[in-house]
Amino acid sequence: MGSYTQLTYHIVYATKYRTRSIVTEIRERLYEYIGGTLRSKNGRLVQIGGVADHVHLLAQLSPSLAVSGVIRDVKANSSRWMNEQPEVKRTFEWQKGYGAFTVSYSRIPKVRAYIHNQEEHHRKITFQEEYVDFLKRHDIQFRTEHLFEDEHHG
């Protein structure tokens, strides 16, 4: 008997200090680059979206790779790529850490729609509020003072 998997994750991470540095002029190309990096890791980008200070990925990942390693590579490669783009006026970095939440197959359409509607969603709620809500809904213990890097406090 063969082994079969369907490992889908909702992954969220922010720019360093949540600076609004994912400018509209480059956003789609960044998303394409992230999708290519996932494909190079035997993954598949199902949906991507976000706003100027963070991204959401709905991705199917290979069971042979650690989620943390894939995300590390996606962030490192996309950060390097961003810094090579003329539209990026100052050093681009992702914030340390990420959120990764498993998604059951039946919930994929709902999560896709949520990610697709990020611009509208963030007219009502900040990234910080959204992220804390994700952690609470997934019953993940955290300390607020350790969640977000601050430019003045590390």
Side-chain angles (χ1 to χ4, degrees), residues 1 31 57 98 132 144:
M1 180 169 139
Y31 292 172
L57 287 65
Y98 60 88
V132 166
T144 306

Side-chain angles (χ1 to χ4, degrees), residues 9-13 22 26-39 44-51 54-60 74 78 94 108 111-119:
Y9 297 87
H10 181 180
I11 301 162
V12 184
Y13 52 91
I22 306 172
I26 200 166
R27 193 171 297 165
E28 288 304 315
R29 290 184 8 235
L30 171 63
Y31 292 172
E32 290 169 11
Y33 188 87
I34 289 171
T37 303
L38 282 170
R39 285 189 300 277
R44 183 172 87 82
L45 184 63
V46 178
Q47 184 73 43
I48 189 168
V51 292
H54 71 282
V55 295
H56 290 256
L57 287 65
L58 182 62
Q60 294 171 337
V74 166
S78 60
W94 295 112
I108 288 175
V111 176
R112 282 186 78 153
Y114 178 83
I115 292 172
H116 180 74
N117 291 318
Q118 281 294 292
E119 291 280 349

